[in-house]
Amino acid sequence: MFIVNLFNGSIISSANASEIENSIQIKASNEIAIKREYLKHIISQQERLLTSLVDTPFMNAYIAKNQESDRDSLSELFLTAATINKYYMQVRFIDAQGQEKIRIEQSSNDSAPMIIKEAALQDKSSREYFTATQKTPAGELWHSPFDLNREQGAIEQLINPTYRIAHPVYFDGAFSGMVIINLDMTYVLKYLTESNDFLIYLVDSDNELLTHPNPKKSWSKYLPGRGKHLQTTALTSEKMTHSLEDIFKNGEGIRIILREKISNEPSTKD
């Protein structure tokens, strides 16, 4: 009788464990779906706003005539767009030679965005986002790697996660410049990685960490002394991980990975 009871208890225990596992997987799938939908909404909204800045008559007038008054009008439009959009870190027009002609900047201390004076505008002809957008067909968008903002070629000391979307500007069939927005992804990342039930990682196709529950391990590709993400079956099971490539569209193969929180486990534990 003891053996029978033990056997039955083992079956019940296994069944309960299976039910718990299924419940965790379903919860993870639902959470991933919600976070994907949020991210998709944010990125597609910025794509539409960017396209509207390129398609405005102010842009056509400036490209056609290259007059100071038309650039001022376009600058004011960019400033308005940055003022009403909390995600804009920068919005710029860069000409066909790679020189910034308009730059609106939102500082990290939440002050109002401002038009940067002409003397401070920079040559961006060697930057990847310029050379890549130069080759982008009319009407299409270029999407950057998801990385850390740089100024004068160096990563800012106070790190600013950023994602850039660029739209080429063509006039009479010729590349005439580009509009590019730098999105401040701080709040987006906060939403994507917050969870009551899971530790959440964002990882690229090379297993480089964009985000880790321990911030000191995030951005392994860009900051020294930070190791890559170590894959395990538990971390990469079908329902606990999902690609975000269809949203970021940048070739990095970014995926979101969920790991169940263990009771009393610090969120920064590896």
Side-chain angles (χ1 to χ4, degrees):
M1 180 65 70
F2 173 76
I3 295 175
V4 172
N5 288 338
L6 184 64
F7 178 70
N8 288 338
S10 175
I11 292 175
I12 293 171
S13 178
S14 297
N16 288 340
S18 179
E19 288 179 6
I20 291 171
E21 178 65 21
N22 287 338
S23 175
I24 292 169
Q25 297 282 355
I26 291 170
K27 187 179 290 186
S29 295
N30 290 339
E31 189 153 340
I32 288 173
I34 291 170
K35 291 181 184 298
R36 274 182 47 83
E37 195 59 35
Y38 164 81
L39 180 63
K40 184 177 180 180
H41 169 74
I42 295 297
I43 299 301
S44 62
Q45 180 185 59
Q46 302 312 315
E47 291 173 338
R48 291 192 298 271
L49 288 170
L50 174 59
T51 299
S52 70
L53 292 177
V54 171
D55 290 342
T56 178
F58 295 114
M59 177 65 72
N60 294 334
Y62 175 52
I63 295 298
K65 302 174 184 177
N66 196 27
Q67 293 183 354
E68 194 73 19
S69 59
D70 293 319
R71 185 173 73 168
D72 290 344
S73 296
L74 191 58
S75 296
E76 290 295 332
L77 176 64
F78 283 13
L79 180 62
T80 300
T83 301
I84 63 178
N85 194 320
K86 67 178 181 179
Y87 297 106
Y88 278 8
M89 185 185 298
Q90 293 177 351
V91 53
R92 293 172 287 169
F93 175 75
I94 300 174
D95 71 14
Q97 286 70 50
Q99 177 63 41
E100 291 180 335
K101 291 297 184 181
I102 299 171
R103 177 174 167 182
I104 311 300
E105 193 160 299
Q106 168 71 60
S107 66
S108 57
N109 62 5
D110 292 328
S111 60
M114 63 179 68
I115 300 174
I116 301 302
K117 294 181 179 179
E118 188 172 357
L121 299 179
Q122 301 172 25
D123 180 357
K124 299 295 185 179
S125 59
S126 63
R127 293 297 300 271
E128 179 195 10
Y129 54 74
F130 176 74
T131 56
T133 306
Q134 255 187 326
K135 303 171 186 175
T136 301
E140 295 187 15
L141 300 175
W142 176 81
H143 300 78
S144 80
F146 191 1
D147 61 11
L148 301 177
N149 197 51
R150 295 174 180 266
E151 285 302 327
Q152 303 293 344
I155 293 173
E156 293 180 308
Q157 289 298 309
L158 181 61
I159 64 171
N160 283 318
T162 188
Y163 177 66
R164 304 169 187 84
I165 309 175
H167 195 309
V169 178
Y170 284 82
F171 185 73
D172 287 342
F175 176 76
S176 301
M178 58 183 281
V179 178
I180 182 169
I181 54 176
N182 289 39
L183 302 177
D184 183 345
M185 299 295 281
T186 303
Y187 300 106
V188 175
L189 282 180
K190 187 173 186 295
Y191 179 86
L192 289 179
T193 57
E194 278 188 341
S195 174
N196 292 326
D197 302 301
F198 300 98
L199 299 176
I200 299 181
Y201 308 74
L202 292 182
V203 181
D204 71 13
S205 59
D206 295 323
N207 280 331
E208 297 283 2
L209 283 154
L210 281 71
T211 66
H212 187 285
N214 181 348
K216 293 181 180 180
K217 298 183 179 182
S218 298
W219 305 107
S220 61
K221 182 183 290 186
Y222 303 102
L223 300 176
R226 305 188 178 203
K228 291 186 178 184
H229 174 70
L230 299 178
Q231 286 184 304
T232 70
T233 302
L235 286 179
T236 56
S237 62
E238 183 178 352
K239 295 184 183 301
M240 300 286 275
T241 184
H242 204 292
S243 173
L244 302 176
E245 177 61 30
D246 60 311
I247 301 174
F248 282 116
K249 308 170 192 172
N250 59 7
E252 286 191 294
I254 295 173
R255 63 193 189 277
I256 184 170
I257 299 174
L258 275 59
R259 189 185 112 198
E260 184 189 7
K261 287 182 179 178
I262 300 172
S263 180
N264 298 322
E265 178 186 30
S267 63
T268 57
K269 186 176 179 180
D270 189 22

